[in-house]
Amino acid sequence: SYEALDSVFQEELQSEEAAIAQTSGPGIQPGTTGSAVTGSGASTSGSAAATSPAAVKPPAPKPVPIGILTIDKIKLKLPILSGATNRNMKVGVGWLKETTPIGEVGNTALAAHRSYTYGRFFNRLDEVVVGDRFQIEAAGKIYEYEVFQKLVVLPTDTSVLKRNNRDHIVTLITCTPIRKATHRLIIQAKLIEQ
């Protein structure tokens, strides 16, 4: 849901801030409970159970893309995954399942993290303006959209998800400003009839 999306954005913001705050010295090795990695790569203290085969979970299956979003203007090409979950948004764009499926009449909402890294995910989405075009490839078809609206809203403003029974709309959603994430940057586009 749109409300759950806010917590996903906040979680990512905290994660990126924590990554920036880390020093380059010894750290915690992923998959362990408090084992510091030495310069040789050996692990010091920690829980043996955390590294035993019985405690290791099998990797979750990789998400399967339902489409690809391409915005040439900002050199963006990302997989679209079903559900705007934290897991999906770590690798691509999440489709809010409560909104219209890609290519159908209504409003398809796609969300991605803004990211602190230039060019990563929706980091450069603010460069997109009214009149720009982008494409979505899904189910063997290529849909081309033209941007008709760019705005900034509060995270609780769901009016951007409204749909009608005549237009094919795509709503792109990300946090803004980049380091504060107090609002949402919204880009809305309509399908160009072919």
Side-chain angles (χ1 to χ4, degrees):
S1 74
Y2 196 69
E3 291 79 25
L5 181 61
D6 188 48
S7 67
V8 170
F9 280 140
Q10 292 304 321
E11 190 176 310
E12 181 66 13
L13 178 65
Q14 291 169 354
S15 173
E16 286 201 18
E17 287 173 348
I20 289 171
Q22 288 180 345
T23 62
S24 59
I28 303 298
Q29 185 173 356
T32 65
T33 56
S35 297
V37 178
T38 66
S40 65
S43 179
T44 64
S45 73
S47 169
T51 57
S52 71
V56 176
K57 285 185 181 178
K62 290 185 179 181
V64 177
I66 59 170
I68 297 174
L69 171 65
T70 304
I71 307 176
D72 289 333
K73 179 178 183 175
I74 59 173
K75 296 177 174 56
L76 178 103
K77 187 171 189 174
L78 289 172
I80 301 170
L81 305 164
S82 183
T85 64
N86 196 28
R87 180 172 178 243
N88 285 348
M89 290 171 52
K90 284 183 185 280
V91 296
V93 177
W95 165 56
L96 278 69
K97 293 185 201 180
E98 302 81 12
T99 65
T100 307
I102 296 167
E104 294 185 15
V105 171
N107 189 347
T108 304
L110 303 174
H113 289 303
R114 190 70 184 273
S115 182
Y116 294 165
T117 306
Y118 181 80
R120 187 165 185 231
F121 299 122
F122 278 178
N123 173 267
R124 297 179 58 199
L125 193 63
D126 61 327
E127 296 175 34
V128 175
V129 297
V130 172
D132 286 344
R133 292 184 176 192
F134 61 83
Q135 294 180 335
I136 294 177
E137 184 178 341
K141 296 180 182 176
I142 296 176
Y143 302 96
E144 187 163 0
Y145 294 87
E146 184 171 317
V147 175
F148 70 89
Q149 181 167 250
K150 176 180 179 177
L151 62 155
V152 174
V153 300
L154 290 170
T156 55
D157 185 350
T158 59
S159 67
V160 297
L161 301 178
K162 288 183 181 175
R163 58 183 120 193
N164 60 43
N165 292 324
R166 44 176 209 283
D167 295 316
H168 298 75
I169 296 172
V170 168
T171 300
L172 305 179
I173 305 167
T174 197
C175 293
T176 200
I178 290 178
R179 296 208 182 262
K180 297 271 187 211
T182 57
H183 290 74
R184 299 295 172 259
L185 172 62
I186 306 295
I187 301 290
Q188 291 189 304
K190 287 185 185 176
L191 181 69
I192 298 169
E193 296 301 327
Q194 300 168 0

